[in-house]
Amino acid sequence: MAQIKLHDQRKPLEWWKLIGRCTVSCISVLLSQLALSLVPRFFSASPLFIQLILSALVLLVVVGLGRCSKRLLGVSGSASAFVFFNILFVWAVYLAVLRPAVSCLMDIAFNGAITMLIIGLCSIMSSNPGLVTYGSSDEIVESSVAEFEAHNRILEPSASVLCHECPTEGSVLGRRVRYCRICKGYIKGFDHHCPAFGNCIGHNNHVHFMVLLVAFLSTEASYVVCSSQFAAKSQMVDRTRLETSLSGNLAISTMLFSIFQLLWQAVFMTWHIYCICFNIRTDEWINWKKYPEFQDVVHSQPGQSFNEMRFKNPYDKGILQNVKEFLGF
């Protein structure tokens, strides 16, 4: 049995390409946020739920136009830069428009939350998710060269390992090293590649990822409270100005944007909490048929011509033990 070690194939972007993609992302944020401000401008009399649906449709249209421009003009932005500039835009609206109407306690809470969010976002973008490179002490695969080439002909292996033994503590199979097509690297404990962070989520930064999700939810929730305080105070003073001024429209549109983010991110976080409780990764759940350890083959009965393959989770040790393992206890 020959041990196979792999090189890190990730290549950083040239600086001029990086600047170009960030510029495109910045322009996309400005256009999308200005487009969102048209919703409270022209539909101010509509219920909040209707405005929220319209805001979601506007975002979908903007994303669709962005993909069309990428195909037609050959220019593309960066998803992580898009997220970063959206955070800065919301913060700028808060400082320029909302802050005078917000209580001191909420001002401290929001500014603290968004500051920690930006720090955490920059940190996870540059973090090592558990990349296994050439010369690493981590043992990737133990198999014949022929098996390796068959499963990795175009560097897209279908399984973390090529043996069919039951996982044991410290075994190769138990280390759950998976391949990321985007990063073109092998990641220990690979969950998924997060385009919003421009990085994989793996063994080394999974806890960081969950903390960052909490930071996003708390920041957006506090912003919704701040914008609600601003809207209530503005309606008491001059409702017409709130509905017609750009600052008032931006306050409402960014609140709708934050509510929309809250809704899908709450579902997203619930999913990841479920995965942690049952010790399974997103990639493993979606692609379990690729990984032998998740396959439970039920042999066919007499008269049947095929075997049935069912899902099983060999890593589930009980919710409490799974959570402790996730936290590193």
Side-chain angles (χ1 to χ4, degrees):
M1 305 293 282
Q3 180 179 340
I4 300 171
K5 294 184 179 180
L6 304 161
H7 293 274
D8 178 11
Q9 299 178 345
R10 299 186 303 177
K11 295 180 180 179
L13 286 175
E14 293 88 347
W15 65 270
W16 59 272
K17 287 185 178 180
L18 188 60
I19 293 176
R21 295 184 67 178
C22 289
T23 302
V24 171
S25 298
C26 184
I27 295 173
S28 299
V29 167
L30 292 175
L31 292 177
S32 61
Q33 291 292 347
L34 289 176
L36 283 174
S37 68
L38 298 177
V39 174
R41 172 81 175 186
F42 295 104
F43 299 93
S44 58
S46 302
L48 182 65
F49 179 72
I50 299 299
Q51 293 188 40
L52 189 61
I53 293 176
L54 292 173
S55 299
L57 292 176
V58 169
L59 287 175
L60 289 175
V61 170
V62 171
V63 171
L65 292 175
R67 291 186 175 181
C68 291
S69 64
K70 178 181 178 180
R71 294 178 181 178
L72 296 176
L73 304 177
V75 294
S76 61
S78 166
S80 54
F82 186 81
V83 171
F84 186 77
F85 286 127
N86 267 306
I87 295 173
L88 292 183
F89 185 90
V90 170
W91 201 3
V93 171
Y94 172 81
L95 295 175
V97 180
L98 304 185
R99 193 174 188 184
V102 174
S103 64
C104 182
L105 181 62
M106 284 307 304
D107 181 54
I108 295 173
F110 177 75
N111 282 293
I114 201 167
T115 300
M116 296 304 297
L117 176 61
I118 292 175
I119 294 173
L121 187 61
C122 294
S123 176
I124 201 169
M125 285 179 180
S126 58
S127 66
N128 179 0
L131 181 70
V132 183
T133 59
Y134 179 82
S136 169
S137 60
D138 284 324
E139 186 179 334
I140 305 297
V141 179
E142 288 188 0
S143 181
S144 66
V145 176
E147 285 176 323
F148 179 82
E149 291 178 349
H151 285 260
N152 303 277
R153 196 168 303 279
I154 55 175
L155 291 177
E156 294 182 4
S158 60
S160 61
V161 292
L162 304 175
C163 59
H164 297 269
E165 299 173 359
C166 295
T168 57
E169 189 70 26
S171 68
V172 176
L173 187 60
R175 297 186 184 186
R176 304 165 84 172
V177 178
R178 314 293 187 191
Y179 182 79
C180 175
R181 300 179 182 180
I182 299 174
C183 290
K184 294 182 172 60
Y186 287 80
I187 310 298
K188 183 178 180 181
F190 177 72
D191 184 86
H192 69 286
H193 182 92
C194 184
F197 301 153
N199 200 357
C200 289
I201 306 303
H203 178 268
N204 291 358
N205 63 357
H206 203 166
V207 175
H208 188 173
F209 171 75
M210 294 300 296
V211 172
L212 201 54
L213 282 182
V214 174
F216 268 102
L217 292 172
S218 59
T219 301
E220 289 154 359
S222 60
Y223 186 81
V224 171
V225 174
C226 292
S227 54
S228 299
Q229 290 182 357
F230 171 82
K233 186 174 181 179
S234 298
Q235 287 178 355
M236 291 176 60
V237 176
D238 189 352
R239 179 182 177 89
T240 303
R241 184 180 177 184
L242 174 66
E243 295 175 354
T244 58
S245 65
L246 178 61
S247 59
N249 292 331
L250 286 175
I252 301 302
S253 65
T254 49
M255 180 181 71
L256 294 171
F257 177 75
S258 297
I259 294 174
F260 178 74
Q261 297 295 319
L262 266 174
L263 292 176
W264 79 261
Q265 287 175 8
V267 176
F268 189 62
M269 186 171 182
T270 302
W271 162 253
H272 280 283
I273 292 174
Y274 169 84
C275 289
I276 291 169
C277 290
F278 293 94
N279 198 4
I280 189 170
R281 310 289 189 263
T282 301
D283 173 71
E284 294 170 343
W285 180 270
I286 296 173
N287 301 309
W288 66 271
K289 291 184 179 180
K290 292 183 178 181
Y291 305 126
E293 66 266 35
F294 288 93
Q295 300 170 11
D296 184 18
V297 179
V298 180
H299 297 288
S300 59
Q301 300 294 326
Q304 294 181 342
S305 58
F306 60 91
N307 295 328
E308 182 182 358
M309 185 169 63
R310 298 177 181 175
F311 171 83
K312 67 173 182 179
N313 184 2
Y315 301 110
D316 186 5
K317 304 173 184 177
I319 293 178
L320 183 60
Q321 185 61 32
N322 292 336
V323 173
K324 286 183 177 180
E325 183 177 317
F326 171 76
L327 297 175
F329 295 156

